[in-house]
Amino acid sequence: MVPARLETALFAAGSFQDTEARFGFIGGVWRTSVGYAGGTFPTPCRGNEGDHLEAVTVEYSPSTISYGQLLELFMCWYCTAPSDQCAAIFVRTPQERRLAQAAVERGSLCRRDRPAPRVLPFKTFIRAENACQKHYLRLAARFYDDLVALYGGEEALLRSTLAARLNGFLLNPSASALHCMPESPDLYGLSPLDLQALQGLAV
């Protein structure tokens, strides 16, 4: 199902776990990954990020969702997040910078109790260790293990759209969330038992 042409956006907003899950549930977003960006420390890891921020790469189809729409979603989440979270938008081009700065200016009107997200150049993204990827999907351990076997390995699963979607669903699982998944779960190649397990998680 993944389109041939994807573009990448990079965002940071406090802990990367919730940010990855939220983006993974958005139609037009096909892959997500967590890691570290914005700093110079050569070997960041969870608990020792150095001068980096926890960040999320979002691989998306511009024919389905625009960079501007991703920015608006990010700013909406930022406006409702705890006030102690630092945020940044990493940009590649002058156009992305203009769009990001405009989104920050609009969003800053709703949160005057803390600094607005910074707009920074997208230089280096250091992917986090596998144990940090798809946090909410990992919490469903038995289901996760079945999917690793289905995909023939953990790395293949973590790079899949299925993992991004299920991780987003499991942030707040419910029957309505299952109904609102961007694609029908039948398209993901799950076995009948896996589909039944997914429905069982929608409580």
Side-chain angles (χ1 to χ4, degrees):
M1 296 184 294
V2 180
R5 179 186 169 222
L6 296 177
E7 295 187 2
T8 301
L10 181 61
F11 302 93
S15 173
F16 46 38
Q17 295 171 345
D18 285 7
T19 305
E20 181 186 32
R22 289 191 177 104
F23 274 120
F25 204 65
I26 301 301
V29 172
W30 294 94
R31 299 188 185 104
T32 60
S33 183
V34 301
Y36 312 98
T40 58
F41 184 53
T43 56
C45 61
R46 194 69 192 273
N48 187 22
E49 297 86 2
D51 55 349
H52 291 280
L53 295 174
E54 293 188 7
V56 178
T57 60
V58 178
E59 295 182 49
Y60 67 99
S61 170
S63 64
T64 304
I65 189 168
S66 69
Y67 183 69
Q69 289 172 312
L70 293 176
L71 287 169
E72 293 303 321
L73 287 169
F74 177 77
M75 289 305 303
C76 179
W77 298 330
Y78 171 79
C79 286
T80 58
S83 61
D84 61 345
Q85 291 190 353
C86 297
I89 302 166
F90 297 89
V91 296
R92 294 178 182 272
T93 66
Q95 181 184 11
E96 286 188 356
R97 178 174 291 277
R98 287 193 297 271
L99 290 170
Q101 289 174 336
V104 167
E105 289 172 6
R106 290 192 298 273
S108 64
L109 298 176
C110 71
R111 290 302 297 257
R112 299 180 183 275
D113 59 337
R114 59 174 163 164
R118 291 176 289 166
V119 178
L120 302 172
F122 188 149
K123 293 182 178 179
T124 301
F125 173 77
I126 301 173
R127 189 175 181 272
E129 48 271 51
N130 278 357
C132 295
Q133 309 293 332
K134 308 298 183 291
H135 170 74
Y136 292 98
L137 180 56
R138 285 180 178 277
L139 293 181
R142 182 176 300 177
F143 193 47
Y144 184 83
D145 291 342
D146 288 345
L147 293 176
V148 169
L150 174 68
Y151 273 78
E154 184 176 53
E155 190 63 32
L157 173 62
L158 293 175
R159 290 286 298 160
S160 71
T161 301
L162 171 64
R165 295 286 187 262
L166 294 184
N167 190 54
F169 163 72
L170 291 168
L171 175 63
N172 290 298
S174 66
S176 60
L178 185 61
H179 179 72
C180 292
M181 290 184 78
E183 304 86 24
S184 168
D186 294 334
L187 298 176
Y188 295 133
L190 297 172
S191 70
L193 287 176
D194 286 331
L195 283 171
Q196 185 178 2
L198 178 60
Q199 293 166 353
L201 293 170
V203 295

